[in-house]
Coordinates of all heavy atoms in Angstrom, one line a residue:
M1 N 74.1 72.0 66.0 CA 72.7 71.5 66.0 C 71.9 72.4 65.1 O 71.9 73.6 65.2 CB 72.1 71.6 67.4 CG 70.7 71.2 67.6 SD 70.2 71.3 69.3 CE 68.5 71.2 69.1
L2 N 71.2 71.7 64.2 CA 70.3 72.4 63.3 C 69.0 72.7 63.9 O 68.4 71.9 64.6 CB 70.1 71.6 62.0 CG 71.3 71.4 61.1 CD1 70.9 70.5 59.9 CD2 71.8 72.7 60.6
L3 N 68.5 74.0 63.7 CA 67.3 74.4 64.3 C 66.3 74.7 63.1 O 66.8 75.2 62.1 CB 67.4 75.6 65.1 CG 68.3 75.5 66.4 CD1 68.6 76.8 67.0 CD2 67.7 74.5 67.3
P4 N 65.0 74.4 63.2 CA 64.1 74.7 62.1 C 63.9 76.2 62.0 O 64.0 76.9 63.0 CB 62.8 73.9 62.6 CG 62.9 73.8 64.0 CD 64.4 73.7 64.4
A5 N 63.5 76.6 60.8 CA 63.2 78.0 60.6 C 62.0 78.4 61.4 O 61.0 77.7 61.4 CB 63.0 78.2 59.1
K6 N 62.1 79.5 62.1 CA 61.0 80.0 62.9 C 59.7 80.1 62.1 O 58.6 79.9 62.6 CB 61.4 81.2 63.7 CG 62.3 80.9 64.8 CD 62.4 82.0 65.8 CE 63.3 81.6 67.0 NZ 63.2 82.5 68.1
S7 N 59.9 80.6 60.9 CA 58.7 80.8 60.0 C 57.9 79.5 59.8 O 56.7 79.4 59.8 CB 59.0 81.5 58.7 OG 60.0 80.7 58.0
E8 N 58.7 78.4 59.6 CA 58.1 77.1 59.3 C 57.5 76.6 60.6 O 56.4 75.9 60.6 CB 59.2 76.1 58.8 CG 58.6 74.8 58.4 CD 57.6 74.8 57.3 OE1 57.5 75.8 56.5 OE2 56.8 73.8 57.2
V9 N 58.1 76.8 61.7 CA 57.6 76.3 63.0 C 56.3 77.0 63.3 O 55.3 76.4 63.6 CB 58.6 76.5 64.2 CG1 57.9 76.3 65.5 CG2 59.8 75.7 64.0
A10 N 56.3 78.4 63.0 CA 55.0 79.1 63.3 C 53.9 78.7 62.3 O 52.8 78.5 62.7 CB 55.3 80.6 63.0
R11 N 54.3 78.4 61.1 CA 53.2 77.9 60.1 C 52.7 76.6 60.5 O 51.4 76.4 60.5 CB 53.9 77.8 58.7 CG 52.9 77.5 57.6 CD 53.6 77.6 56.2 NE 54.3 76.4 55.9 CZ 53.8 75.3 55.5 NH1 52.5 75.2 55.3 NH2 54.6 74.2 55.3
Q12 N 53.5 75.6 60.9 CA 53.1 74.3 61.3 C 52.3 74.4 62.6 O 51.3 73.6 62.8 CB 54.2 73.4 61.4 CG 54.9 73.0 60.1 CD 53.9 72.3 59.2 OE1 53.0 71.6 59.5 NE2 54.2 72.5 57.9
L13 N 52.7 75.2 63.5 CA 51.9 75.4 64.8 C 50.5 76.0 64.5 O 49.6 75.5 65.1 CB 52.7 76.3 65.8 CG 52.1 76.4 67.1 CD1 51.9 75.1 67.9 CD2 52.9 77.4 68.0
R14 N 50.4 77.0 63.6 CA 49.1 77.5 63.3 C 48.2 76.4 62.6 O 47.0 76.3 63.0 CB 49.3 78.7 62.3 CG 49.6 80.0 62.9 CD 49.5 81.2 62.0 NE 50.1 81.0 60.7 CZ 51.4 81.3 60.4 NH1 52.1 81.8 61.4 NH2 51.9 81.1 59.2
H15 N 48.8 75.6 61.8 CA 48.1 74.6 61.1 C 47.6 73.6 62.1 O 46.4 73.2 62.1 CB 49.1 73.9 60.1 CG 48.5 72.9 59.2 ND1 47.7 73.2 58.2 CD2 48.6 71.5 59.3 CE1 47.3 72.0 57.6 NE2 47.8 71.0 58.2
Y16 N 48.5 73.2 63.0 CA 48.1 72.2 64.1 C 46.9 72.7 65.0 O 46.0 72.1 65.2 CB 49.3 71.9 65.0 CG 49.0 71.1 66.2 CD1 48.8 69.7 66.1 CD2 48.9 71.7 67.4 CE1 48.5 68.9 67.2 CE2 48.6 70.9 68.6 CZ 48.4 69.5 68.4 OH 48.1 68.7 69.5
R17 N 47.1 74.0 65.4 CA 46.0 74.6 66.2 C 44.7 74.8 65.5 O 43.6 74.6 66.1 CB 46.5 76.0 66.8 CG 47.7 75.9 67.7 CD 47.3 75.2 69.0 NE 48.4 75.3 70.0 CZ 48.6 74.5 70.9 NH1 47.7 73.4 71.1 NH2 49.6 74.6 71.8
A18 N 44.8 75.1 64.2 CA 43.5 75.2 63.5 C 42.8 73.8 63.4 O 41.6 73.7 63.6 CB 43.8 75.8 62.1
W19 N 43.5 72.8 63.1 CA 43.0 71.4 63.0 C 42.5 70.9 64.4 O 41.5 70.2 64.5 CB 43.9 70.5 62.3 CG 43.8 70.7 60.8 CD1 44.8 71.2 60.0 CD2 42.8 70.4 59.9 NE1 44.4 71.3 58.7 CE2 43.1 70.8 58.7 CE3 41.5 69.8 60.2 CZ2 42.3 70.6 57.5 CZ3 40.7 69.7 59.1 CH2 41.1 70.1 57.8
E20 N 43.2 71.3 65.4 CA 42.8 71.0 66.8 C 41.4 71.6 67.1 O 40.6 70.9 67.6 CB 43.9 71.5 67.7 CG 43.6 71.2 69.2 CD 44.6 71.8 70.1 OE1 45.0 73.0 69.9 OE2 45.1 71.1 71.0
R21 N 41.2 72.8 66.7 CA 39.9 73.4 66.9 C 38.8 72.7 66.1 O 37.7 72.5 66.6 CB 40.0 74.9 66.6 CG 40.7 75.8 67.6 CD 40.6 77.3 67.3 NE 41.1 77.7 66.0 CZ 42.4 78.0 65.8 NH1 43.3 77.9 66.8 NH2 42.8 78.4 64.6
S22 N 39.1 72.4 64.9 CA 38.2 71.7 64.0 C 37.9 70.3 64.6 O 36.7 69.9 64.6 CB 38.8 71.5 62.6 OG 38.9 72.8 62.0
M23 N 38.9 69.6 65.1 CA 38.7 68.3 65.6 C 37.8 68.4 66.9 O 36.9 67.5 67.1 CB 40.0 67.6 66.0 CG 40.0 66.2 66.0 SD 39.6 65.4 67.7 CE 40.8 66.3 68.7
L24 N 38.0 69.4 67.7 CA 37.2 69.5 68.9 C 35.8 69.9 68.6 O 34.8 69.5 69.3 CB 37.8 70.6 69.8 CG 39.1 70.2 70.5 CD1 39.8 71.4 71.2 CD2 38.9 69.0 71.5
A25 N 35.6 70.6 67.4 CA 34.2 71.0 67.0 C 33.5 69.8 66.4 O 32.3 69.7 66.4 CB 34.3 72.1 66.0
S26 N 34.3 68.9 65.7 CA 33.7 67.7 65.0 C 34.5 66.5 65.3 O 35.2 65.9 64.5 CB 33.7 68.0 63.5 OG 33.1 69.2 63.2
P27 N 34.4 66.0 66.6 CA 35.2 64.8 67.0 C 34.9 63.5 66.3 O 35.8 62.6 66.2 CB 35.0 64.7 68.5 CG 33.7 65.4 68.7 CD 33.5 66.5 67.7
T28 N 33.7 63.4 65.7 CA 33.4 62.2 65.0 C 33.8 62.2 63.5 O 33.6 61.2 62.8 CB 31.9 61.9 65.1 OG1 31.2 62.9 64.6 CG2 31.6 61.6 66.6
D29 N 34.2 63.3 63.0 CA 34.6 63.5 61.6 C 35.9 62.8 61.4 O 37.0 63.3 61.8 CB 34.6 64.9 61.2 CG 34.8 65.1 59.7 OD1 35.5 64.3 59.1 OD2 34.3 66.1 59.1
V30 N 36.0 61.7 60.7 CA 37.2 60.9 60.5 C 38.3 61.7 59.7 O 39.5 61.7 60.0 CB 36.9 59.6 59.8 CG1 38.2 58.8 59.5 CG2 36.0 58.7 60.7
T31 N 37.8 62.5 58.7 CA 38.7 63.3 57.9 C 39.4 64.3 58.7 O 40.6 64.6 58.6 CB 38.0 63.9 56.7 OG1 37.4 62.8 55.9 CG2 38.9 64.7 55.8
V32 N 38.6 65.0 59.5 CA 39.2 66.1 60.4 C 40.2 65.5 61.4 O 41.3 66.0 61.6 CB 38.0 66.8 61.1 CG1 38.6 67.8 62.2 CG2 37.2 67.6 60.1
R33 N 39.8 64.4 62.0 CA 40.7 63.7 63.0 C 42.0 63.3 62.3 O 43.1 63.5 62.8 CB 40.0 62.5 63.6 CG 40.9 61.8 64.6 CD 40.2 60.7 65.4 NE 39.2 61.3 66.3 CZ 39.5 61.7 67.5 NH1 40.8 61.8 68.0 NH2 38.6 62.2 68.3
T34 N 41.9 62.7 61.1 CA 43.1 62.2 60.4 C 44.0 63.4 60.1 O 45.2 63.3 60.3 CB 42.7 61.5 59.1 OG1 41.9 60.3 59.5 CG2 43.9 61.0 58.4
T35 N 43.4 64.5 59.6 CA 44.2 65.6 59.2 C 44.9 66.2 60.5 O 46.0 66.7 60.5 CB 43.4 66.7 58.4 OG1 42.8 66.0 57.3 CG2 44.3 67.8 57.9
F36 N 44.1 66.3 61.6 CA 44.7 66.8 62.8 C 45.9 66.0 63.3 O 46.9 66.5 63.7 CB 43.6 66.8 63.9 CG 44.1 67.0 65.3 CD1 44.7 68.2 65.6 CD2 44.0 66.1 66.3 CE1 45.1 68.5 66.9 CE2 44.4 66.3 67.5 CZ 45.0 67.5 67.9
E37 N 45.7 64.6 63.2 CA 46.8 63.7 63.6 C 48.0 63.9 62.7 O 49.1 63.9 63.2 CB 46.3 62.3 63.7 CG 45.3 62.0 64.8 CD 44.7 60.6 64.8 OE1 44.9 59.9 63.8 OE2 43.9 60.3 65.7
D38 N 47.8 64.1 61.4 CA 48.9 64.3 60.5 C 49.6 65.6 60.8 O 50.8 65.6 60.8 CB 48.4 64.4 59.0 CG 47.9 63.0 58.5 OD1 48.3 62.0 59.1 OD2 47.3 63.0 57.4
S39 N 48.8 66.6 61.1 CA 49.5 67.9 61.5 C 50.3 67.8 62.8 O 51.4 68.4 62.9 CB 48.5 69.0 61.6 OG 47.6 68.9 62.7
G40 N 49.8 67.0 63.7 CA 50.5 66.7 65.0 C 51.8 66.0 64.7 O 52.9 66.3 65.3
Y41 N 51.7 65.0 63.8 CA 52.9 64.2 63.5 C 54.0 65.1 62.8 O 55.2 65.0 63.2 CB 52.6 63.1 62.5 CG 53.8 62.3 62.0 CD1 54.4 61.4 62.8 CD2 54.3 62.6 60.8 CE1 55.5 60.7 62.4 CE2 55.4 61.9 60.3 CZ 56.0 60.9 61.1 OH 57.2 60.3 60.7
T42 N 53.6 66.0 61.9 CA 54.5 66.9 61.3 C 55.2 67.8 62.3 O 56.4 68.0 62.2 CB 53.8 67.8 60.2 OG1 53.2 66.9 59.3 CG2 54.7 68.8 59.6
L43 N 54.4 68.3 63.3 CA 55.0 69.1 64.3 C 56.0 68.3 65.2 O 57.0 68.8 65.6 CB 53.8 69.7 65.2 CG 54.2 71.0 66.0 CD1 54.7 72.1 65.1 CD2 52.9 71.4 66.7
C44 N 55.6 67.1 65.5 CA 56.6 66.2 66.2 C 57.9 66.1 65.5 O 58.9 66.1 66.2 CB 55.9 64.8 66.4 SG 54.6 64.8 67.7
V45 N 57.9 65.8 64.2 CA 59.1 65.6 63.5 C 59.9 66.9 63.5 O 61.1 66.9 63.7 CB 58.8 65.1 62.0 CG1 60.0 65.2 61.2 CG2 58.1 63.7 62.0
L46 N 59.2 68.0 63.2 CA 59.9 69.3 63.2 C 60.6 69.7 64.5 O 61.7 70.2 64.5 CB 58.9 70.3 62.8 CG 59.4 71.7 62.4 CD1 60.3 71.7 61.2 CD2 58.2 72.7 62.2
M47 N 59.9 69.3 65.6 CA 60.4 69.7 66.9 C 61.2 68.6 67.7 O 61.7 68.8 68.8 CB 59.2 70.2 67.8 CG 58.5 71.4 67.3 SD 59.6 72.8 66.8 CE 60.3 73.2 68.3
G48 N 61.2 67.4 67.1 CA 61.9 66.3 67.7 C 61.3 65.8 69.0 O 61.9 65.4 69.9
K49 N 60.0 65.7 69.0 CA 59.2 65.2 70.1 C 58.4 64.0 69.7 O 58.1 63.8 68.5 CB 58.3 66.3 70.7 CG 59.0 67.6 71.2 CD 59.8 67.3 72.4 CE 60.5 68.5 72.9 NZ 61.4 68.2 74.0
R50 N 57.9 63.2 70.6 CA 57.2 62.0 70.4 C 55.7 62.3 70.5 O 54.8 61.5 70.1 CB 57.6 60.9 71.3 CG 58.9 60.4 70.9 CD 59.3 59.2 71.8 NE 60.6 58.7 71.4 CZ 61.0 57.5 71.7 NH1 60.3 56.7 72.4 NH2 62.2 57.1 71.3
C51 N 55.3 63.3 71.2 CA 53.9 63.6 71.5 C 53.5 65.0 70.9 O 54.3 66.0 71.0 CB 53.7 63.6 73.0 SG 52.2 64.3 73.6
A52 N 52.4 65.1 70.3 CA 52.0 66.3 69.6 C 51.8 67.5 70.6 O 52.2 68.6 70.3 CB 50.7 66.1 68.8
R53 N 51.3 67.2 71.8 CA 51.2 68.3 72.8 C 52.6 68.8 73.2 O 52.7 70.0 73.3 CB 50.4 67.8 74.0 CG 48.9 67.7 73.7 CD 48.2 67.3 75.0 NE 46.8 67.2 74.7 CZ 45.9 66.9 75.6 NH1 46.2 66.8 76.8 NH2 44.6 66.8 75.2
E54 N 53.5 67.9 73.4 CA 54.8 68.3 73.7 C 55.5 69.1 72.6 O 56.2 70.0 72.8 CB 55.7 67.1 74.0 CG 55.4 66.4 75.3 CD 56.2 65.1 75.5 OE1 57.2 64.9 74.8 OE2 55.9 64.4 76.5
A55 N 55.2 68.7 71.4 CA 55.7 69.3 70.2 C 55.1 70.7 70.1 O 55.9 71.7 69.8 CB 55.5 68.5 68.9
A56 N 53.9 70.9 70.3 CA 53.2 72.2 70.3 C 53.8 73.1 71.4 O 54.1 74.3 71.1 CB 51.7 72.1 70.4
D57 N 54.0 72.6 72.6 CA 54.6 73.3 73.7 C 56.0 73.7 73.3 O 56.4 74.9 73.5 CB 54.6 72.5 75.0 CG 53.2 72.4 75.6 OD1 52.3 73.1 75.2 OD2 53.1 71.5 76.5
A58 N 56.8 72.8 72.8 CA 58.2 73.1 72.4 C 58.2 74.2 71.3 O 59.0 75.1 71.3 CB 58.9 71.8 71.9
A59 N 57.3 74.1 70.3 CA 57.2 75.1 69.3 C 56.9 76.5 69.8 O 57.5 77.4 69.4 CB 56.1 74.7 68.2
E60 N 56.0 76.5 70.7 CA 55.6 77.8 71.4 C 56.8 78.4 72.1 O 57.1 79.6 72.0 CB 54.4 77.7 72.3 CG 53.1 77.5 71.5 CD 52.0 77.1 72.3 OE1 52.1 76.8 73.5 OE2 50.8 77.1 71.8
R61 N 57.5 77.6 72.9 CA 58.7 78.0 73.6 C 59.8 78.5 72.6 O 60.4 79.5 72.8 CB 59.3 76.9 74.5 CG 58.6 76.7 75.8 CD 59.4 75.8 76.7 NE 59.8 74.5 76.1 CZ 59.0 73.4 76.0 NH1 57.8 73.5 76.6 NH2 59.5 72.3 75.5
Y62 N 60.0 77.7 71.5 CA 61.0 78.0 70.5 C 60.7 79.4 69.9 O 61.6 80.2 69.7 CB 61.1 76.9 69.5 CG 62.0 77.2 68.4 CD1 63.4 77.4 68.6 CD2 61.6 77.2 67.0 CE1 64.3 77.6 67.5 CE2 62.5 77.5 66.0 CZ 63.8 77.7 66.2 OH 64.6 77.9 65.2
L63 N 59.4 79.6 69.6 CA 59.0 80.9 68.9 C 59.2 82.1 69.9 O 59.4 83.2 69.5 CB 57.6 80.8 68.4 CG 57.5 79.8 67.2 CD1 56.0 79.6 66.9 CD2 58.3 80.2 66.0
R64 N 59.1 81.8 71.2 CA 59.3 82.9 72.2 C 60.7 83.2 72.4 O 61.0 84.3 72.9 CB 58.6 82.5 73.5 CG 57.1 82.6 73.6 CD 56.6 82.6 75.0 NE 57.0 81.4 75.7 CZ 56.3 80.3 75.8 NH1 55.1 80.2 75.3 NH2 56.7 79.2 76.5
T65 N 61.6 82.3 72.2 CA 63.0 82.5 72.5 C 63.7 83.1 71.3 O 63.3 82.9 70.1 CB 63.7 81.2 72.9 OG1 63.7 80.3 71.9 CG2 63.1 80.6 74.2
S66 N 64.9 83.7 71.5 CA 65.7 84.2 70.4 C 66.8 83.1 70.1 O 67.1 82.3 70.9 CB 66.3 85.5 70.8 OG 67.3 85.3 71.8
L67 N 67.3 83.2 69.0 CA 68.4 82.3 68.5 C 69.6 82.4 69.5 O 70.3 81.5 69.8 CB 68.8 82.6 67.1 CG 69.8 81.6 66.5 CD1 69.3 80.2 66.6 CD2 70.1 82.0 65.1
V68 N 69.8 83.7 70.0 CA 70.9 83.9 70.9 C 70.7 83.0 72.2 O 71.7 82.4 72.7 CB 71.0 85.4 71.3 CG1 72.0 85.6 72.4 CG2 71.3 86.2 70.1
T69 N 69.5 83.0 72.7 CA 69.3 82.1 73.9 C 69.6 80.6 73.6 O 70.2 80.0 74.4 CB 67.8 82.3 74.4 OG1 67.6 83.6 74.7 CG2 67.5 81.5 75.6
S70 N 69.1 80.2 72.5 CA 69.3 78.7 72.1 C 70.8 78.5 71.9 O 71.3 77.5 72.4 CB 68.6 78.4 70.8 OG 67.2 78.6 71.0
A71 N 71.5 79.4 71.3 CA 73.0 79.2 71.1 C 73.7 79.2 72.5 O 74.6 78.4 72.7 CB 73.5 80.3 70.2
H72 N 73.3 80.1 73.4 CA 73.9 80.2 74.7 C 73.6 78.9 75.5 O 74.6 78.4 76.1 CB 73.3 81.4 75.5 CG 73.8 81.5 76.9 ND1 75.1 81.8 77.1 CD2 73.2 81.3 78.0 CE1 75.3 81.8 78.4 NE2 74.1 81.5 79.0
E73 N 72.4 78.4 75.4 CA 72.1 77.1 76.1 C 73.0 76.0 75.5 O 73.5 75.2 76.3 CB 70.6 76.7 76.0 CG 69.8 77.7 76.8 CD 68.3 77.5 76.5 OE1 67.9 76.7 75.6 OE2 67.5 78.1 77.2
Q74 N 73.2 75.9 74.2 CA 74.0 74.9 73.6 C 75.4 75.0 74.0 O 76.1 74.0 74.3 CB 73.9 75.0 72.1 CG 74.6 73.8 71.3 CD 74.1 72.5 71.7 OE1 72.9 72.2 71.9 NE2 75.0 71.5 71.8
T75 N 75.9 76.2 74.1 CA 77.3 76.5 74.6 C 77.5 76.0 76.0 O 78.5 75.3 76.4 CB 77.7 78.0 74.5 OG1 77.5 78.4 73.2 CG2 79.1 78.2 75.0
L76 N 76.5 76.2 76.9 CA 76.5 75.7 78.3 C 76.6 74.2 78.3 O 77.4 73.6 79.1 CB 75.4 76.2 79.1 CG 75.3 77.7 79.4 CD1 74.1 78.1 80.1 CD2 76.5 78.2 80.2
V77 N 75.8 73.5 77.5 CA 75.8 72.1 77.5 C 77.1 71.6 77.0 O 77.7 70.6 77.6 CB 74.6 71.5 76.6 CG1 74.8 70.1 76.3 CG2 73.3 71.9 77.2
T78 N 77.6 72.1 75.9 CA 79.0 71.7 75.4 C 80.0 71.9 76.4 O 80.9 71.0 76.6 CB 79.3 72.5 74.1 OG1 78.2 72.3 73.2 CG2 80.6 72.1 73.5
H79 N 80.0 73.0 77.1 CA 81.0 73.3 78.1 C 80.9 72.3 79.3 O 82.0 71.8 79.7 CB 80.8 74.7 78.7 CG 81.8 75.1 79.8 ND1 83.2 75.3 79.5 CD2 81.7 75.3 81.1 CE1 83.8 75.6 80.6 NE2 82.9 75.6 81.6
A80 N 79.8 71.9 79.7 CA 79.6 70.9 80.8 C 80.1 69.6 80.3 O 80.7 68.9 81.1 CB 78.1 70.8 81.2
Q81 N 79.9 69.2 79.1 CA 80.3 67.9 78.5 C 81.9 67.9 78.5 O 82.5 66.9 78.8 CB 79.8 67.7 77.2 CG 78.3 67.3 77.2 CD 77.7 67.2 75.8 OE1 78.3 67.8 74.8 NE2 76.5 66.6 75.6
E82 N 82.5 69.0 78.1 CA 83.9 69.1 78.0 C 84.5 69.0 79.4 O 85.5 68.3 79.6 CB 84.4 70.4 77.3 CG 84.1 70.5 75.9 CD 84.3 71.8 75.3 OE1 84.5 72.8 76.0 OE2 84.2 71.9 74.0
Q83 N 83.9 69.7 80.4 CA 84.4 69.6 81.8 C 84.3 68.1 82.3 O 85.2 67.7 82.9 CB 83.5 70.5 82.7 CG 84.3 71.6 83.3 CD 83.5 72.4 84.2 OE1 82.2 72.4 84.2 NE2 84.1 73.2 85.0
A84 N 83.2 67.4 82.0 CA 83.0 66.1 82.5 C 84.1 65.2 81.8 O 84.6 64.3 82.5 CB 81.6 65.6 82.1
E85 N 84.5 65.4 80.6 CA 85.5 64.6 79.9 C 86.9 64.9 80.5 O 87.6 63.9 80.7 CB 85.5 64.9 78.4 CG 84.3 64.4 77.7 CD 84.2 64.9 76.3 OE1 85.1 65.7 75.8 OE2 83.2 64.6 75.6
R86 N 87.1 66.1 80.9 CA 88.4 66.4 81.5 C 88.5 65.8 82.9 O 89.6 65.3 83.3 CB 88.6 67.9 81.6 CG 89.1 68.6 80.3 CD 89.6 69.9 80.6 NE 88.6 70.8 81.3 CZ 87.7 71.6 80.7 NH1 87.6 71.6 79.4 NH2 86.9 72.3 81.4
L87 N 87.4 65.7 83.6 CA 87.5 65.2 85.0 C 87.3 63.7 85.1 O 87.6 63.1 86.1 CB 86.3 65.8 85.8 CG 86.4 67.4 86.0 CD1 85.2 67.9 86.7 CD2 87.7 67.8 86.7
A88 N 86.9 63.0 84.0 CA 86.7 61.6 84.1 C 88.0 60.9 84.1 O 89.0 61.3 83.4 CB 85.9 61.1 82.8
P89 N 88.1 59.8 84.9 CA 89.4 59.0 84.9 C 89.7 58.4 83.5 O 88.7 58.1 82.8 CB 89.1 57.9 85.9 CG 87.8 58.2 86.6 CD 87.1 59.3 85.8
S90 N 90.9 58.4 83.2 CA 91.2 57.9 81.8 C 90.8 56.4 81.6 O 90.9 55.6 82.6 CB 92.7 58.0 81.5 OG 93.4 57.2 82.4
G91 N 90.3 56.1 80.5 CA 89.9 54.7 80.2 C 88.4 54.5 80.6 O 87.9 53.4 80.2
H92 N 87.8 55.4 81.2 CA 86.4 55.2 81.6 C 85.5 56.1 80.7 O 85.9 57.2 80.4 CB 86.1 55.6 83.1 CG 86.8 54.7 84.0 ND1 88.1 54.8 84.5 CD2 86.3 53.5 84.6 CE1 88.4 53.8 85.3 NE2 87.3 53.0 85.4
K93 N 84.4 55.6 80.4 CA 83.5 56.3 79.5 C 82.7 57.4 80.4 O 82.3 57.1 81.5 CB 82.5 55.4 78.8 CG 83.1 54.5 77.8 CD 82.1 54.3 76.7 CE 82.8 53.4 75.7 NZ 82.9 54.0 74.4
T94 N 82.6 58.6 79.8 CA 81.9 59.6 80.5 C 80.4 59.6 80.0 O 80.1 58.8 79.0 CB 82.4 61.0 80.1 OG1 82.3 61.2 78.7 CG2 83.9 61.1 80.5
P95 N 79.5 60.3 80.6 CA 78.1 60.3 80.2 C 77.9 60.7 78.8 O 77.0 60.3 78.1 CB 77.5 61.3 81.1 CG 78.3 61.3 82.4 CD 79.7 61.0 81.9
S96 N 78.9 61.5 78.2 CA 78.8 61.9 76.8 C 79.2 60.8 75.8 O 79.1 60.9 74.7 CB 79.6 63.2 76.5 OG 80.9 62.9 76.7
G97 N 79.8 59.7 76.4 CA 80.2 58.6 75.5 C 81.7 58.7 75.1 O 82.2 57.8 74.5
A98 N 82.4 59.8 75.5 CA 83.8 59.9 75.1 C 84.6 59.1 76.1 O 84.3 58.9 77.3 CB 84.2 61.3 75.2
A99 N 85.8 58.6 75.7 CA 86.7 57.9 76.6 C 87.6 58.8 77.3 O 87.9 59.9 77.0 CB 87.6 56.9 75.7

């Protein structure tokens, strides 16, 4: 699984928060609102989320964690999927989609 560079996540999160403050200060300014929404969309794409607030939360969590934690969590998920595949009756699809 590819992870975004933490420096890019931090930069986009700062950009999003700055436009969020501007939008709250000038809610009727169409240019500010549009730029805020664009920055939210960019953060969503970067973090793989559908909602800008979820993307901002995910970015903050990602910046707080180390790569070791993320790699460890991915290893646990992979291990659980492998176990499910071994335990599944032959010919039946497992939740991971393997036969």
Side-chain angles (χ1 to χ4, degrees):
M1 175 176 168
L2 291 176
L3 298 172
K6 286 195 174 191
S7 59
E8 184 62 20
V9 172
R11 187 174 78 80
Q12 292 298 332
L13 183 60
R14 279 192 310 272
H15 186 75
Y16 173 79
R17 293 295 186 206
W19 282 108
E20 180 181 43
R21 287 188 299 274
S22 296
M23 202 271 310
L24 291 171
S26 304
T28 59
D29 187 328
V30 176
T31 302
V32 170
R33 179 173 289 279
T34 301
T35 307
F36 168 65
E37 289 172 355
D38 288 347
S39 69
Y41 175 78
T42 301
L43 201 55
C44 285
V45 171
L46 190 62
M47 299 310 299
K49 300 293 182 183
R50 291 184 177 197
C51 168
R53 285 186 182 182
E54 289 176 7
D57 290 343
E60 289 170 349
R61 280 192 308 275
Y62 177 60
L63 293 172
R64 282 194 304 263
T65 62
S66 68
L67 185 56
V68 173
T69 302
S70 297
H72 177 68
E73 288 172 354
Q74 184 60 37
T75 301
L76 292 175
V77 168
T78 302
H79 180 68
Q81 288 172 342
E82 289 170 353
Q83 243 182 345
E85 289 170 1
R86 282 195 305 270
L87 297 175
S90 63
H92 292 88
K93 292 213 178 236
T94 64
S96 66

